[in-house]
Amino acid sequence: MKNNKLEKNLERARIHLYNVLAILIVIIPEYLAELIYTIEVSQHKAILPNEGDAWETETELRLSKLNIYELRLMAKSLCIHGYSNENKNSLIRRINRKTKKRIKWKSLKIQNIRKTL
């Protein structure tokens, strides 16, 4: 009878020891990692700088303000094929490339008209 009580007490003590070890090994480090991450994120502000001259001249900066839906609508209007399965960065690159080509083509067309006049 004493042996059974001793075994039950040992079993209960073992379970408590495992609980304490689980808290020390798993839960506390996870909590500390989450706390450190939130402190680090709060120190870095993800606010874009104020719009200046660069925002007006650089088309890539203006495109970066648009969301993916607006970029896809712009790609559709520019007749860019396969725009629906691209991510934001690649879509910005393709739109930027296409608009530079259009600007170049239009400027060549205007120069040819001026030459004929």
Side-chain angles (χ1 to χ4, degrees):
M1 186 154 221
K2 287 185 181 182
N3 205 7
N4 282 341
K5 285 186 179 181
L6 183 63
E7 285 180 18
K8 286 182 182 180
N9 287 338
L10 282 175
E11 188 67 30
R12 207 174 290 145
R14 188 179 301 147
I15 291 173
H16 289 297
L17 179 66
Y18 289 154
N19 289 338
V20 170
L21 287 176
I23 290 171
L24 289 175
I25 294 173
V26 177
I27 295 173
I28 292 175
E30 285 289 325
Y31 177 74
L32 289 175
E34 186 177 333
L35 182 67
I36 290 170
Y37 178 74
T38 56
I39 290 171
E40 183 178 321
V41 168
S42 68
Q43 288 180 355
H44 298 291
K45 296 183 179 178
I47 298 171
L48 293 174
N50 291 334
E51 296 178 4
D53 295 333
W55 286 89
E56 294 172 10
T57 57
E58 294 289 328
T59 56
E60 194 169 346
L61 288 175
R62 283 188 278 155
L63 290 173
S64 67
K65 287 176 59 177
L66 302 176
N67 61 27
I68 192 74
Y69 177 72
E70 293 167 332
L71 288 171
R72 287 182 177 162
L73 287 176
M74 185 177 285
K76 184 179 180 182
S77 67
L78 291 171
C79 300
I80 296 175
H81 299 290
Y83 63 87
S84 62
N85 61 353
E86 292 195 11
N87 61 12
K88 185 175 180 177
N89 293 332
S90 63
L91 202 53
I92 288 172
R93 281 195 309 269
R94 286 185 70 189
I95 290 172
N96 199 15
R97 209 175 314 133
K98 185 79 166 189
T99 54
K100 283 182 182 177
K101 286 180 183 178
R102 281 192 172 203
I103 292 170
K104 190 176 187 181
W105 182 78
K106 285 182 180 180
S107 65
L108 288 174
K109 191 175 179 182
I110 291 171
Q111 287 174 357
N112 290 337
I113 293 172
R114 286 183 185 163
K115 286 181 184 178
T116 58
L117 295 175

